[in-house]
């Protein structure tokens, strides 16, 4: 049976790859809305993979992860929109055609900024654990959102609650992802082009997370998660490992935020509320903490479930004569679904294998 599974796994991978490639082309036949849902799901997968490094591998509860998402989005928005050139004459003189930096500069800048702030967040919280760490990170996320909401005076940097608009779509090698592409008479919508870019980023992120998990750094993170005192006694530099976890996780958030800004063409502080952080944590916990397939499953389900439940909340509202608000009813259904899943699968939908089983050698 093991021989058959090893032989078939390549066929399974090929079928899965084909399904992922064809999915947006099928969804766009029913309108761009469903493709946008798939795009949003991939962005949440990228966020969940980054938070899984902090929460799942290192065991550090982070409720302010959305701050790195916001920093990446605003970094892209500032470097790929006319806001800075319209606000600062000196920048306008340096860039007469407008500040439209290429992708290979903006994305590393967003990742670096988020990573630096991740280390800055981790430095004062090295001695905190559990609930105390969660409260500090929650405050950090709210501080970033408040700053973004108020940095429009005396110097207008973020444009305050109005947000940044006219953000450039992603373009590279002469391909503009903001415009449809025609291939052999078949039109691929702009949202489908973004889907392929996000899918590529998710695949690269999965490979990075998997290699990190199997590396000495990943083993050190897991040792800290299980027992920090024992890990320190074994010679692991817990301070550096924690800072590295915060920094690595934050870079994923920064890249995801930059993709969000390019995809939406507009960012504002309202997109980075505390509820977003809670939902990202819920994705990691619901799917299975520390297990990549489970985290991906949790992110897809929790990002797509609200949209699917729109078709359930509407008829229920009609049955009650409109006395129930559809948006509130949809949130209620999401909460009930999460409660049922956690009662049914307390370790997550797809938890990591038991520690003893994971250490067993694979058969030849």
């Amino acid at each position: 049976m093991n021989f058959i599974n090893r032989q078939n796994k390549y066929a399974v991978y090929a079928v899965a790859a084909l399904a992922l490639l064809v999915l947006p082309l099928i969804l766009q036949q029913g309108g761009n809305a469903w493709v946008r849902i798939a795009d949003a799901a991939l962005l949440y997968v990228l966020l969940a993979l980054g938070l899984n490094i902090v929460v799942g591998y290192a065991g550090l509860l982070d409720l302010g992860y959305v701050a790195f998402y916001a920093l990446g989005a605003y970094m892209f928005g500032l470097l790929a929109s006319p806001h800075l050139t319209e606000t600062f004459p000196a920048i306008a003189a340096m860039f007469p055609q407008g500040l439209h930096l290429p992708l290979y500069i903006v994305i590393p800048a967003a990742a670096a900024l988020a990573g630096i702030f991740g280390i800055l967040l981790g430095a004062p919280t090295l001695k905190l654990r559990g609930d105390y760490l969660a409260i500090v990170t929650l405050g950090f996320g709210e501080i970033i959102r408040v700053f973004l909401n108020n940095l429009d005076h005396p110097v207008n940097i973020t444009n305050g609650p109005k947000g940044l608009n006219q953000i450039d779509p992603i373009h590279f090698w002469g391909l503009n992802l903001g415009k449809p592409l025609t291939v052999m008479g078949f039109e691929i919508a702009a949202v489908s082009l973004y889907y392929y870019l996000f899918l590529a980023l998710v695949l690269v992120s999965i490979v990075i997370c998997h290699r990190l998990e199997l590396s000495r750094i990943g083993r050190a993170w897991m040792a800290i998660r299980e027992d920090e005192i024992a890990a320190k006694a074994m010679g692991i530099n817990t301070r550096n490992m924690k800072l590295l976890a915060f920094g690595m996780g934050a870079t994923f958030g920064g890249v995801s935020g930059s993709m969000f800004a390019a995809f939406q063409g507009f960012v504002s502080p309202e997109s980075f509320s505390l509820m977003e952080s809670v939902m990202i944590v819920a994705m990691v916990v619901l799917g299975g903490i520390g297990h990549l397939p489970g985290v991906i499953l949790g992110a897809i389900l929790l990002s797509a479930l609200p949209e699917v439940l729109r078709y359930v909340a509407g008829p229920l509202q009609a049955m009650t004569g409109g006395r129930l608000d559809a948006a509130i009813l949809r949130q209620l259904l999401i909460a009930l679904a999460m409660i049922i899943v956690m009662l049914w699968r307390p370790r997550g939908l797809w938890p990591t294998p038991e520690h003893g089983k994971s250490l067993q050698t694979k058969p030849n």
Side-chain angles (χ1 to χ4, degrees):
M1 183 60 67
N2 291 333
F3 175 80
I4 295 175
N5 289 338
R6 288 202 302 271
Q7 292 298 317
N8 289 344
K9 70 177 182 180
Y10 298 106
V12 172
Y13 291 158
V15 171
L18 181 61
L20 289 174
L21 291 175
V22 175
L23 179 62
L25 304 180
I26 297 175
L27 291 178
Q28 74 179 24
Q29 303 305 315
N32 290 339
W34 287 104
V35 187
R36 292 184 69 89
I37 293 173
D39 292 342
L42 290 175
L43 285 178
Y44 277 112
V45 168
L46 194 58
L47 284 170
L49 289 173
L51 184 60
N52 184 58
I53 292 177
V54 183
V55 177
Y57 293 165
L60 305 171
L61 184 55
D62 187 355
L63 292 182
Y65 190 72
V66 75
F68 311 120
Y69 188 41
L71 289 170
Y74 268 86
M75 173 61 79
F76 189 96
L78 290 173
L79 297 181
S81 75
H83 174 72
L84 290 179
T85 54
E86 292 175 355
T87 306
F88 301 99
I91 297 178
M94 294 173 60
F95 299 92
Q97 303 299 323
L99 187 63
H100 305 283
L101 297 183
L103 187 68
Y104 57 83
I105 293 179
V106 176
I107 291 183
L113 178 67
I116 291 171
F117 271 85
I119 295 173
L120 292 178
L121 167 64
T125 62
L126 290 174
K127 295 184 179 180
L128 299 178
R129 304 177 190 173
D131 301 338
Y132 300 100
L133 178 61
I135 292 172
V136 171
T137 55
L138 184 151
F140 175 78
E142 285 299 291
I143 287 171
I144 293 297
R145 186 185 63 82
V146 171
F147 264 93
L148 294 176
N149 201 36
N150 290 276
L151 282 180
D152 55 344
H153 62 278
V155 179
N156 188 3
I157 298 177
T158 64
N159 208 27
K162 298 178 183 178
L164 301 176
N165 53 22
Q166 301 181 35
I167 299 175
D168 296 339
I170 291 177
H171 54 275
F172 53 91
W173 299 332
L175 177 63
N176 187 347
L177 299 189
K179 298 179 180 179
L181 178 66
T182 302
V183 179
M184 294 185 296
F186 183 81
E187 183 178 281
I188 303 176
V191 288
S192 297
L193 296 176
Y194 274 106
Y195 170 90
Y196 291 119
L197 175 62
F198 297 164
L199 179 62
L201 289 174
V202 166
L203 293 177
V204 171
S205 300
I206 291 173
V207 173
I208 293 174
C209 290
H210 180 63
R211 298 307 302 170
L212 281 174
E213 181 181 1
L214 300 179
S215 68
R216 294 180 64 183
I217 294 175
R219 297 295 185 185
W221 284 337
M222 294 174 196
I224 294 172
R225 179 190 65 192
E226 298 299 329
D227 193 328
E228 183 177 347
I229 297 175
K232 193 170 185 178
M234 293 299 294
I236 295 175
N237 190 328
T238 56
R239 180 196 64 184
N240 290 352
M241 288 296 105
K242 285 184 177 181
L243 291 178
L244 183 60
F246 275 113
M248 285 291 297
T251 56
F252 284 78
V255 172
S256 182
S258 64
M259 294 296 99
F260 172 77
F263 180 60
Q264 293 288 111
F266 170 79
V267 291
S268 69
E270 295 178 357
S271 301
F272 312 105
S273 63
L274 173 62
M275 191 60 192
E276 288 293 315
S277 275
V278 173
M279 286 299 292
I280 300 169
V281 174
M283 291 172 184
V284 176
V285 175
L286 187 72
I289 295 179
H291 195 218
L292 289 179
V295 170
I296 295 169
L297 177 62
I300 293 174
L301 288 180
L302 277 187
S303 59
L305 187 62
E307 305 302 327
V308 174
L309 288 179
R310 290 182 187 274
Y311 298 94
V312 178
L316 289 178
Q317 183 189 30
M319 290 172 59
T320 60
R323 288 188 293 271
L324 289 176
D325 183 78
I328 296 177
L329 184 59
R330 185 164 59 96
Q331 293 297 325
L332 176 62
L333 293 174
I334 294 171
L336 287 175
M338 292 173 64
I339 292 172
I340 292 171
V341 169
M342 294 312 296
L343 290 175
W344 173 51
R345 303 279 291 180
R347 296 182 61 237
L349 288 173
W350 197 342
T352 184
E354 294 292 340
H355 181 65
K357 295 180 181 179
S358 64
L359 293 179
Q360 291 178 359
T361 57
K362 296 181 180 180
N364 296 324

